[in-house]
Amino acid sequence: MKTVILCVFPVLFFLVAACIKTGNPMENDALKLLKKSEAAFNEQYKDKPIDLSFQDLSGMTVEKASLVNADLHYTNLTETRFIDCDITGANLCGAHMEKTRFENSRLGKAQIHRTRFNKVLFLMTDMEESDMHESTFTECEFKKSDISESNLHKTTFSKSLFFMSEVQGCNIRESSMTGMVINATKFIRSDLTDSRIQGTIKESCHFGGAVL
């Protein structure tokens, strides 16, 4: 038994030392380069598949990165800040979004269904034609953002804000919006059949052609 213990301890010591030397062994090459330089990342992954699924981007500020069609499903985006990023067509299904910020970014045609958003900010962000069905938004803010023509079927919004945003032509059937503040936002041509809306609707909101 003593001989076995003496053999195991050096192995454990070697493994721990290797982890310390190489950093987080779970980080893939794409994330390592993104952390180092967005410009270098954009050059390296131009027109190439980007796999950041299951990675930890928490607390990062990502600026002017091209993440078009990136795989970000089940990625940790806690307190991650995206500024001037192109995330068009990305898969963010199941991503952990807590106090995540999207600022002046493009999220059009993204796949973000069955996902929980908690205290997420969308500021001057384009999310047109995205699929967010059966997702949950809690204390989220949409400011000067556009989510028109998106699929919001069976979504749940709680204590969230729409301000000067576009929600036109959306499928919002069988959804719930409670404790909302909706100000200067257009729901023109959106289908809200069998949906529940409760909260404060302020001036300059338009529901022309919407199905209520």
Side-chain angles (χ1 to χ4, degrees):
M1 181 63 71
K2 290 182 180 180
T3 303
V4 173
I5 292 175
L6 289 172
C7 292
V8 169
F9 274 126
V11 173
L12 290 175
F13 176 79
F14 174 78
L15 290 174
V16 171
C19 289
I20 294 173
K21 182 178 180 180
T22 59
N24 185 352
M26 298 301 292
E27 288 186 358
N28 64 17
D29 291 340
L31 178 55
K32 290 176 183 177
L33 186 57
L34 183 62
K35 283 186 172 183
K36 184 177 180 180
S37 166
E38 288 93 336
F41 176 90
N42 292 343
E43 183 177 354
Q44 176 68 29
Y45 285 93
K46 183 179 180 181
D47 300 322
K48 295 180 182 178
I50 300 171
D51 185 3
L52 291 167
S53 60
F54 296 95
Q55 296 296 302
D56 185 1
L57 278 69
S58 60
M60 286 180 61
T61 295
V62 183
E63 190 167 1
K64 296 182 179 179
S66 178
L67 297 165
V68 177
N69 298 322
D71 187 352
L72 289 154
H73 81 278
Y74 290 106
T75 299
N76 185 357
L77 300 177
T78 302
E79 296 187 358
T80 306
R81 187 179 182 189
F82 294 96
I83 304 173
D84 295 322
C85 292
D86 190 352
I87 319 174
T88 303
N91 177 7
L92 291 101
C93 294
H96 186 77
M97 284 189 261
E98 175 95 19
K99 297 181 180 179
T100 312
R101 298 171 66 95
F102 297 92
E103 303 173 42
N104 197 34
S105 294
R106 294 177 293 285
L107 263 168
K109 298 182 179 179
Q111 299 294 314
I112 330 177
H113 47 79
R114 298 188 179 94
T115 300
R116 293 181 180 275
F117 299 77
N118 189 32
K119 298 181 180 178
V120 176
L121 170 67
F122 301 94
L123 176 63
M124 299 178 67
T125 291
D126 174 16
M127 302 175 67
E128 290 186 273
E129 299 182 47
S130 290
D131 186 357
M132 296 175 276
H133 74 270
E134 297 183 37
S135 288
T136 301
F137 299 83
T138 304
E139 296 184 47
C140 294
E141 296 184 354
F142 296 82
K143 295 182 176 180
K144 298 182 179 180
S145 293
D146 191 348
I147 61 174
S148 296
E149 308 297 335
S150 292
N151 182 9
L152 296 164
H153 184 220
K154 290 186 177 180
T155 51
T156 300
F157 292 85
S158 176
K159 299 178 182 178
S160 295
L161 166 71
F162 283 103
F163 175 70
M164 294 184 69
S165 293
E166 304 288 334
V167 195
Q168 301 191 48
C170 292
N171 173 9
I172 321 178
R173 297 168 61 92
E174 301 178 79
S175 297
S176 173
M177 296 183 175
T178 58
M180 302 291 295
V181 175
I182 302 174
N183 191 1
T185 295
K186 299 176 183 177
F187 285 81
I188 296 171
R189 296 181 295 99
S190 287
D191 187 352
L192 293 104
T193 302
D194 296 326
S195 292
R196 177 191 177 196
I197 302 178
Q198 180 271 322
T200 301
I201 299 178
K202 297 187 177 181
E203 67 275 2
S204 302
C205 291
H206 300 282
F207 289 83
V211 180
L212 302 172

